[in-house]
Amino acid sequence: MFGDMMNMMGKLKETQKKVEETKKRLDTVLVDTSSNDDKLKITLTANRTIKSIEIDDELLKDKEQLEDYLILTLNKAIEKATKVNETELAAVAKDGMPSIPGMDLFK
């Protein structure tokens, strides 16, 4: 039993290392999102860091419209990046979790 526990602890440490490596890799994964009419384009990393924002000149003429575009498109971009992030991290966690009876957390 003690050997099993040590084996599980080793596997957990290995999984933790893989999770950290995945988080670093997600800093290089870019998620592009644009408004429905392509007047606003936003690029985030999968860790939800804004990398670029492109604004069509037409939007610069109307402050309220630009603000609305920014809110909608940023929220869409963050949601998209979050899904990528969670999917990648869940895959690493599921792969590295030891098999513990009754603890099927990642099914």
Side-chain angles (χ1 to χ4, degrees), residues 47-68:
N47 281 329
R48 297 170 298 272
T49 299
I50 298 171
K51 288 302 205 178
S52 71
I53 297 176
E54 295 177 33
I55 302 170
D56 186 281
D57 289 339
E58 186 180 317
L59 288 177
L60 297 175
K61 298 173 187 172
D62 185 343
K63 181 180 183 276
E64 281 186 33
Q65 184 182 21
L66 175 58
E67 290 169 347
D68 290 342

Side-chain angles (χ1 to χ4, degrees), residues 35-53:
S35 60
N36 293 336
D37 57 7
D38 287 332
K39 289 182 181 178
L40 179 66
K41 297 177 183 175
I42 297 173
T43 301
L44 301 176
T45 68
N47 281 329
R48 297 170 298 272
T49 299
I50 298 171
K51 288 302 205 178
S52 71
I53 297 176

Side-chain angles (χ1 to χ4, degrees), residues 4-100:
D4 288 343
M5 185 67 108
M6 291 301 290
N7 192 17
M8 276 194 269
M9 293 300 288
K11 189 147 176 105
L12 287 172
K13 280 191 180 283
E14 184 180 317
T15 299
Q16 184 178 15
K17 183 181 176 190
K18 286 181 181 178
V19 166
E20 291 304 316
E21 289 170 355
T22 300
K23 285 180 181 179
K24 285 181 185 176
R25 185 178 59 76
L26 290 174
D27 278 333
T28 65
V29 175
L30 299 179
V31 177
D32 295 315
T33 306
S34 59
S35 60
N36 293 336
D37 57 7
D38 287 332
K39 289 182 181 178
L40 179 66
K41 297 177 183 175
I42 297 173
T43 301
L44 301 176
T45 68
N47 281 329
R48 297 170 298 272
T49 299
I50 298 171
K51 288 302 205 178
S52 71
I53 297 176
E54 295 177 33
I55 302 170
D56 186 281
D57 289 339
E58 186 180 317
L59 288 177
L60 297 175
K61 298 173 187 172
D62 185 343
K63 181 180 183 276
E64 281 186 33
Q65 184 182 21
L66 175 58
E67 290 169 347
D68 290 342
Y69 267 73
L70 283 168
I71 290 168
L72 292 171
T73 309
L74 278 167
N75 283 331
K76 188 164 73 170
I78 291 167
E79 183 179 322
K80 203 172 172 182
T82 298
K83 284 181 183 175
V84 171
N85 183 289
E86 289 174 351
T87 300
E88 292 288 324
L89 291 176
V92 171
K94 180 181 179 184
D95 184 49
M97 290 300 291
S99 180
I100 303 171

